[in-house]
Amino acid sequence: DAGVIQSPRHEVTEMGQEVTLRCKPISGHDYLFWYRQTMMRGLELLIYFNNNVPIDDSGMPEDRFSAKMPNASFSTLKIQPSEPRDSAVYFCASSLDRERETQYFGPGTRLLVL
Amino acid sequence: AQKVTQAQTEISVVEKEDVTLDCVYETRDTTYYLFWYKQPPSGELVFLIRRNSFDEQNEISGRYSWNFQKSTSSFNFTITASQVVDSAVYFCALIRRGFKTIFGAGTRLFVKA
C-alpha cells in the first residue's frame, strides 16, 4: 500500500513568494496532521483535520499559514508570504480513526526560503 | 507541565553493542500514548511502537525492546546487537487528549562498523 505522499520533496523560494505544500494521506485514514521540524524547535504540530474538517489549528504560527483539506485524499499547507524563518521540513501524517493516535508520516517537504 | 525529555543528544556505539535510548515524560493526564519514531538520514519518520498509559507490558520486536515504567515516567528503548542500519535519530513522543503531541528533542545514534 502507498504511504503518505508529499510534494514537492524540496522547495526553494524567495522571501515574499507564496508556497504551497501538498499531501495525500493513506487511503481510508480519517485524520490528517501537518507538522514542522526545525533545529531550534524540533517537531511541532501545526494543525490537524478529522474527516476533512480542521479541528485544532492552535499550532499554526501566524496568519501567513493556512491549511485546507478539500477532500479525503488531498490537503495543502500554504504560506503567503513566505519568510526565511519558515525554512524547515514540513511533514504530513495520517491515522485511522480506530487507532487515531498512531500517525504515519510522509517523507516531508524540505523548504528553504531565501 | 507536559514534557518529553531525551537527555542523550548523541550516542555512538560499535556494531553488535547493545544500546538503550532514554525517554522521560511528564503529564498530568491519566490517559496518554507514548511512541517511538525513527528518522534515518533520508529524513522520513518511521513509526516503531505505541504504548497506551494503561498498558505497562514491555514489548520485544526482533532486536528492539521497550520498557515502560509509569512509576518513573519512563519509556526506554533498547536495541540489541546494533547494526549500522540502526544509525538514525530516534524520537520519543507523548500524545495527550485532543492530539496534543509533544516530541522529545531526539537522540542521534551512530553505529560504527
Side-chain angles (χ1 to χ4, degrees), chain B residues 10 22 26 28 31-32 36 38 56 59 64 67 75-77 81 85-86 88 91 94 97-98 100 107 113:
Chain B
E10 287 186 5
D22 298 332
E26 289 179 37
R28 290 196 186 95
T31 300
Y32 52 89
W36 277 94
K38 174 182 179 179
E56 281 193 77
E59 182 155 336
Y64 294 172
N67 182 282
F75 186 40
N76 297 337
F77 172 30
V85 294
D86 296 327
F91 291 95
L94 167 72
R97 61 180 184 277
K100 299 300 180 187
T107 296

Side-chain angles (χ1 to χ4, degrees), chain B residues 1 3 70 100:
Chain B
K3 202 168 147 183
K70 285 180 78 170
K100 299 300 180 187

Side-chain angles (χ1 to χ4, degrees), chain A residues 38-105:
Chain A
T38 60
M39 289 295 292
M40 290 296 295
R41 300 174 68 91
L43 274 154
E44 303 172 281
L45 176 64
L46 301 178
I47 184 172
Y48 77 89
F49 296 81
N50 178 215
N51 292 325
N52 315 338
V53 176
I55 303 300
D56 186 350
D57 65 355
S58 59
M60 296 285 261
E62 301 172 32
D63 291 345
R64 298 184 296 106
F65 286 70
S66 62
K68 293 182 180 177
M69 192 164 185
N71 57 62
S73 58
F74 184 65
S75 177
T76 60
L77 178 68
K78 189 175 291 188
I79 309 172
Q80 165 64 17
S82 58
E83 296 183 3
R85 60 194 166 119
D86 302 330
S87 298
V89 180
Y90 291 83
F91 287 100
C92 177
S94 69
S95 67
L96 267 175
D97 184 59
R98 67 171 182 272
E99 206 176 64
R100 65 193 74 174
E101 296 81 10
T102 302
Q103 299 168 32
Y104 296 91
F105 283 76

Side-chain angles (χ1 to χ4, degrees), chain B residues 41-91:
Chain B
S42 49
E44 73 272 25
L45 279 160
V46 179
F47 164 75
L48 295 178
I49 191 171
R50 160 197 172 128
R51 253 306 163 255
N52 305 335
S53 55
F54 43 86
D55 179 6
E56 281 193 77
Q57 197 169 17
N58 292 327
E59 182 155 336
I60 298 174
S61 176
R63 296 184 299 107
Y64 294 172
S65 62
W66 291 270
N67 182 282
F68 176 28
Q69 292 196 348
K70 285 180 78 170
S71 60
T72 56
S73 297
S74 65
F75 186 40
N76 297 337
F77 172 30
T78 298
I79 302 175
T80 303
S82 59
Q83 300 176 1
V84 173
V85 294
D86 296 327
S87 297
V89 181
Y90 290 87
F91 291 95

